[in-house]
Amino acid sequence: MTPKAASASPAPSRRSFLSSTAVAAVAVAGGMPLLAACSGSAGSGEGTTSGKSAKKILPAYRAHNIVTPDIPSKNGSSVGFTGKVDLSKLATAVPEKLGTGGKVTVMAPYWGTPPKADCAYYTELNKAVGVEITWQNQDGNHYGEKIGAVLASSSLPDMMVVPGWELAGKIPTALAAKMLDLGPYLSGSKVEKYPNLAAMPSDAWQRGIFGGKLRGIPVPYSYVPNIVPFYRKDLFDKHGWEVPTSADEFLALAKEMTSKKAGVYGCDDMKWSSFNIFGSLGGSEKALGWKLQDGKLVNRVETDEYLEALEWTRKLYAAGVVHPEAKAATGDSSLRFTSGKVMMFNGDINTWYFKTAEMAGSKSAPDFQIVGMDIFGHDGGDPKLFAGTPANMWTFIRKDASKEVVENALAAANYSASPYGTRERMMVDYGVEGTHYTVKAGVPVKTELGNTDVMNTWGMLAGPASFIAHPDFPEIARAKVEWQQRMGAFVTKPPFYGLTIIEPSRYANLSDQFEQLEDDFVRGNKKLGDVQQAISDWKSKGGDKLRDWYKKLLDENGSAS
């Protein structure tokens, strides 16, 4: 089974999605009144909801303890499972069908070729849940544009899956305008009708508050940073290399490893790890880019740590230890890593498992071993890390949906949120035994049909508390959870942790230029003065006013840290 973790990309991109935000603006301007948040401008949906106001509308947490994990959560980590799969001992998470047989349409991103609408996976899950879902699968690579177009139209699907990295521009405002308030169905004890939804963490649910109302059904995540600096332990052992514990040691080691003649380089692009190494706030979510410093609210781009992280990454490029393809922004960094062209690179924590599974039995690298190094402070001390989001994907229900549609949609989400170790989780993740998968020596293996049909749809409707389980490589599951536990000990929650904040539309694209500028600077294509000028422009063109706006939210709602 697969973990409910963060995005599979190195980090959620802060892309502009100009077309999607433009059509979302049309949706908002088209006469649909926006619900005001508890803090913010009336009628705009701007602001956030926290504290006592949030507690009034959040579902009441009810742990059901269906399955006990082998490794409990610690310091914000996922729970871990290291055992094999025994189908005869799977627990039951949904003893009775909650669906009434009603029809529900769901729009979701899909990477790859979608299965047929009447495929066995969809058909059998519909039967199990008691809901007739029709999937409107869209190209995941262009999903933001599709979200914007649909929100601008007069015809919405019953349910819409929205990943956090698509919350660009005015999309959050449009969601607040056009999506249903789930409070009458889920707030407080009402959620008890859906036990798996009730067992989802409250901080994940809080991320589902848009425009002052509970609108998004979340997929929970561990808030521990998900970007891991990986190294080839097999090659480290072979050459007697020591794992670096400071920024200087990393650079020195990368120089030692690099042999341009042999086409081998010390590392790939390390920008995302550099932010963690230097204690910079992350850039994957706007609200998490603020912190209190000497009593003043400052943005990540204004901090010394931000510039220091970029300058160190630039040093790696200037020293010639970064693979040329990374400098040209071409190719696949993980393939360069598995082929031995780079010794160190960074990626999502799930890369740990995927690359282990991919290289198992490899003839070219029979001793291949990928390991995540602990994040170190740039000076060799403890790192200073900042919490990410406790949820980064939601399912919304359209505002004018009938009661029957809502109840069937919630029945489907409740089924999808079943925990690991249950029949329902196996069904969502693997499909039907004998048709989509078989179990060999306690390890579920997908059939050809399973690899075709059982992909990214049902698992995005909702999820249980974050878990990690790899029956085929239990040692990797343990390593991932223990890495999260160690790193979680150094995590601080920034002031707006766990809050969905809808910024005023005039600031929607204020920070769009920074990601490309960062990439240009570390590669030597822009100067430090260019970055400093961009920061100055950001402040004068709205950053200072945006700071005042966030400060007001902070004063009214208090800090989450």
Side-chain angles (χ1 to χ4, degrees):
M1 295 187 184
T2 55
K4 293 295 173 187
S7 167
S9 63
S13 174
R14 295 179 289 128
R15 294 166 290 180
S16 60
F17 293 102
L18 294 177
S19 59
S20 62
T21 56
V23 290
V26 174
V28 175
M32 180 71 72
L34 296 177
L35 296 175
C38 291
S39 299
S41 303
S44 70
E46 297 168 4
T48 190
T49 305
S50 63
K52 293 181 180 179
S53 298
K55 288 181 180 179
K56 292 178 182 178
I57 60 179
L58 288 174
Y61 177 71
R62 297 286 187 270
H64 47 27
N65 299 320
I66 296 175
V67 180
T68 302
D70 300 312
I71 311 173
S73 176
K74 180 182 177 182
N75 296 331
S77 77
S78 307
V79 299
F81 294 88
T82 58
K84 299 293 185 180
V85 171
D86 186 341
L87 296 178
S88 66
K89 294 182 179 180
L90 293 178
T92 298
V94 186
E96 297 180 6
K97 291 182 183 179
L98 296 178
T100 64
K103 296 182 178 180
V104 177
T105 56
V106 182
M107 187 179 105
Y110 201 94
W111 291 270
T113 303
K116 295 181 179 180
D118 61 350
C119 73
Y121 178 60
Y122 291 165
T123 300
E124 293 304 316
L125 263 169
N126 285 350
K127 290 179 182 177
V129 181
V131 179
E132 189 177 334
I133 288 184
T134 298
W135 290 92
Q136 298 177 354
N137 296 316
Q138 308 294 331
D139 181 2
N141 295 320
H142 303 284
Y143 192 59
E145 299 165 20
K146 186 65 177 181
I147 291 173
V150 170
L151 287 174
S153 73
S154 58
S155 179
L156 273 68
D158 297 322
M159 302 179 77
M160 178 186 289
V161 175
V162 180
W165 55 90
E166 304 291 10
L167 292 180
K170 298 179 178 65
I171 293 294
T173 309
L175 291 170
K178 291 203 167 185
M179 295 303 173
L180 182 71
D181 172 14
L182 299 175
Y185 296 89
L186 298 177
S187 291
S189 61
K190 297 183 183 72
V191 76
E192 292 176 6
K193 180 179 178 181
Y194 309 99
N196 293 323
L197 298 184
M200 293 162 63
S202 294
D203 60 352
W205 272 116
Q206 182 158 293
R207 284 283 282 134
I209 298 177
F210 286 73
K213 303 293 183 180
L214 183 68
R215 304 183 196 278
I217 305 168
V219 175
Y221 291 87
S222 165
Y223 62 71
V224 177
N226 70 303
I227 301 301
V228 181
F230 291 108
Y231 68 99
R232 285 285 300 267
K233 187 176 185 304
D234 54 319
L235 297 179
F236 268 60
D237 290 346
K238 178 181 178 181
H239 294 283
W241 294 325
E242 296 290 334
V243 178
T245 59
S246 72
D248 287 343
E249 286 184 8
F250 187 101
L251 176 56
L253 178 60
K255 288 180 178 179
E256 181 182 344
M257 293 171 163
T258 299
S259 172
K260 294 181 181 180
K261 184 177 181 179
V264 175
Y265 293 79
C267 63
D268 216 90
D269 180 72
M270 301 300 296
K271 185 185 77 170
W272 287 102
S273 283
S274 75
F275 291 141
N276 288 330
I277 290 170
F278 282 84
S280 173
L281 289 155
S284 62
E285 188 177 324
K286 292 179 180 179
L288 296 182
W290 296 91
K291 72 174 180 177
L292 282 170
Q293 184 171 294
D294 299 326
K296 180 183 178 182
L297 199 61
V298 298
N299 189 269
R300 64 187 295 262
V301 301
E302 302 175 282
T303 63
D304 292 339
E305 294 88 351
Y306 172 75
L307 291 178
E308 289 167 355
L310 293 179
E311 288 179 322
W312 179 72
T313 309
R314 185 184 177 102
K315 278 186 180 180
L316 297 178
Y317 277 100
V321 301
V322 182
H323 196 282
E325 289 183 3
K327 186 170 185 177
T330 60
D332 185 329
S333 61
S334 68
L335 293 180
R336 292 193 285 269
F337 180 75
T338 54
S339 64
K341 293 181 180 179
V342 298
M343 300 294 105
M344 300 177 286
F345 88 117
N346 51 203
D348 179 271
I349 192 171
N350 292 323
T351 304
W352 208 326
Y353 167 76
F354 290 131
K355 289 302 169 182
T356 298
E358 175 189 314
M359 296 298 289
S362 168
K363 293 182 180 179
S364 60
D367 299 320
F368 177 87
Q369 188 175 5
I370 176 175
V371 173
M373 67 178 72
D374 286 3
I375 299 170
F376 45 80
H378 69 94
D379 59 358
D382 292 335
K384 184 176 182 180
L385 307 175
F386 292 94
T389 179
N392 202 31
M393 185 174 291
W394 304 267
T395 302
F396 297 87
I397 301 175
R398 61 183 172 86
K399 196 171 187 176
D400 59 350
S402 67
K403 182 179 179 181
E404 181 185 15
V405 167
V406 175
E407 291 180 342
N408 279 288
L410 293 176
N414 181 71
Y415 193 99
S416 183
S418 298
Y420 181 86
T422 64
R423 293 178 175 83
E424 294 80 5
R425 182 84 261 140
M426 282 295 298
M427 186 74 165
V428 169
D429 289 345
Y430 283 93
V432 179
E433 182 194 6
T435 301
H436 300 109
Y437 75 95
T438 58
V439 175
K440 300 177 181 178
V443 177
V445 179
K446 285 185 180 179
T447 63
E448 183 176 348
L449 185 62
N451 283 321
T452 301
D453 292 355
V454 185
M455 296 291 284
N456 37 47
T457 48
W458 269 90
M460 293 187 289
L461 289 182
S466 180
F467 71 90
I468 294 175
H470 303 304
D472 48 347
F473 292 98
E475 71 279 8
I476 300 300
R478 178 175 293 279
K480 288 167 63 176
V481 174
E482 291 180 347
W483 185 90
Q484 287 185 336
Q485 291 178 341
R486 292 193 303 274
M487 297 303 96
F490 304 107
V491 168
T492 296
K493 294 179 180 178
F496 301 107
Y497 164 80
L499 302 179
T500 292
I501 295 178
I502 299 179
E503 294 182 352
S505 59
R506 58 190 177 276
Y507 303 129
N509 303 112
L510 185 62
S511 301
D512 286 352
Q513 78 274 23
F514 279 103
E515 186 171 6
Q516 184 60 55
L517 180 58
E518 291 164 5
D519 290 341
D520 287 339
F521 173 72
V522 299
R523 287 166 172 78
N525 300 323
K526 292 288 185 179
K527 298 178 180 179
L528 179 60
D530 296 319
V531 179
Q532 293 170 328
Q533 183 61 52
I535 296 170
S536 179
D537 291 344
W538 172 87
K539 293 172 68 175
S540 63
K541 293 179 180 179
D544 284 335
K545 292 181 179 179
L546 183 60
R547 182 198 329 281
D548 294 338
W549 184 86
Y550 268 100
K551 186 61 167 61
K552 184 179 180 182
L553 286 185
L554 188 62
D555 291 342
E556 293 175 350
N557 295 280
S559 174
S561 59

